[in-house]
Amino acid sequence: MAQTVGIAGFGTIGTAVATRIARDLPGLELLAISAGRRDVAETRLRSLDLTVPVVSAGELAASCDIIVECAPTAAFLSIAEPALAAGRTLITVSGAAILEHPGIVDVARAGGGQIILATGALLGLDAVRAAAEGVIHSVRMVTRKPPRSLRTAKYVVENGIDLDSLAEPLLLFRGSAREGARAFPSNVNVAAALGLAGIGADRTELEIWADPTKLRNCHRIDVDADSARFGFEIENIPTDENPGTGRITALSMIAALRAIRAPLRVGT
């Protein structure tokens, strides 16, 4: 029997996920979506030749087994709370929102729901989770993004930082992953995920650079633990529609969806 899926947020990520469910994810049925702009969402659905209704977040939670959350960060709670209270599975990339609202885990526990934080935009988290079963001494992450990927970031806008004429790399932030997630809630969900997987967001060190020499969103992570010492890098290609979001982010959510129904699951 197919499990029903609802998508909350129908922008770059939601569109990619909806298209793949309709074409290439057996055992899953796209039942409905919710979006901030119903008219825009309905137009996009027609362009994709998809005939599913646009409903409220509450209706999505009431009718769908799985909710894929890919809405703006500010909408996270309005989507997550009813879904988890109803015992649904919530797939999200909003690590920053989970850090900002840790009580959402209690909502999931009380309602019998589950949060799956899709982390395909950051490799190596299986190793980090394994190391966290022992003792991790330190975790450090350095993010370097082309200026256009950070132009609309909360911290950049609030501080009036001009990135358009940047000629050399500029250090925008140095601190903990928790602090970075608050300053850049839509840009460093990967840092939040790293903190949640390892020694916590307060002990995870983070640097964020606007780097005009980069064409991709680049992350370097170094971990020192009693079980292993390792480092890894990833260079994510930005989407054309939203340079702050890598193409692999939507694929991460698709992979998480596929794993729910897969007879063989590789990775923890």
Side-chain angles (χ1 to χ4, degrees), residues 55-232:
V55 302
S56 69
E59 290 172 305
L60 211 64
S63 58
C64 300
D65 301 317
I66 303 165
I67 311 297
V68 177
E69 188 279 315
C70 43
T73 306
F76 176 79
L77 276 186
S78 66
I79 297 163
E81 284 184 330
L84 295 168
R88 307 307 186 187
T89 296
L90 181 79
I91 300 178
T92 181
V93 292
S94 300
I98 294 172
L99 285 184
E100 191 66 20
H101 306 287
I104 198 65
V105 178
D106 295 326
V107 175
R109 185 181 294 112
Q114 183 184 33
I115 304 167
I116 297 176
L117 182 57
T119 55
L122 186 66
L123 78 170
L125 288 191
D126 274 4
V128 176
R129 284 193 295 267
E133 295 295 333
V135 178
I136 296 179
H137 305 302
S138 64
V139 180
R140 182 171 183 265
M141 176 174 172
V142 178
T143 289
R144 294 179 180 271
K145 291 190 174 187
R148 72 188 187 103
S149 293
L150 291 163
R151 189 180 293 123
T152 60
K154 177 174 177 284
Y155 181 88
V156 172
V157 173
E158 289 181 350
N159 288 276
I161 302 172
D162 180 15
L163 299 181
D164 291 335
S165 57
L166 204 61
E168 60 185 22
L170 174 66
L171 176 63
L172 293 173
F173 174 86
R174 178 185 286 132
S176 71
R178 184 182 302 278
E179 295 166 332
R182 285 175 178 162
F184 296 81
S186 300
N187 300 87
V188 289
N189 278 308
V190 288
L194 180 63
L196 289 166
I199 55 175
D202 294 311
R203 292 179 58 198
T204 301
E205 302 170 35
L206 173 65
E207 289 184 8
I208 302 173
W209 293 76
D211 191 338
T213 70
K214 301 296 183 183
L215 297 176
R216 301 183 177 188
N217 300 329
C218 304
H219 308 290
R220 167 75 196 186
I221 298 93
D222 290 287
V223 178
D224 184 18
D226 65 347
S227 58
R229 180 180 297 162
F230 53 92
F232 38 90

Side-chain angles (χ1 to χ4, degrees), residues 21-90:
I21 292 172
R23 298 175 182 172
D24 185 35
L25 287 180
L28 298 174
E29 176 191 356
L30 180 61
L31 192 66
I33 69 164
S34 67
R37 289 281 306 277
R38 178 185 292 268
D39 56 338
V40 174
E42 289 175 343
T43 299
R44 184 165 291 173
L45 283 167
R46 286 193 295 270
S47 72
L48 297 171
D49 198 25
L50 294 176
T51 54
V52 296
V54 180
V55 302
S56 69
E59 290 172 305
L60 211 64
S63 58
C64 300
D65 301 317
I66 303 165
I67 311 297
V68 177
E69 188 279 315
C70 43
T73 306
F76 176 79
L77 276 186
S78 66
I79 297 163
E81 284 184 330
L84 295 168
R88 307 307 186 187
T89 296
L90 181 79

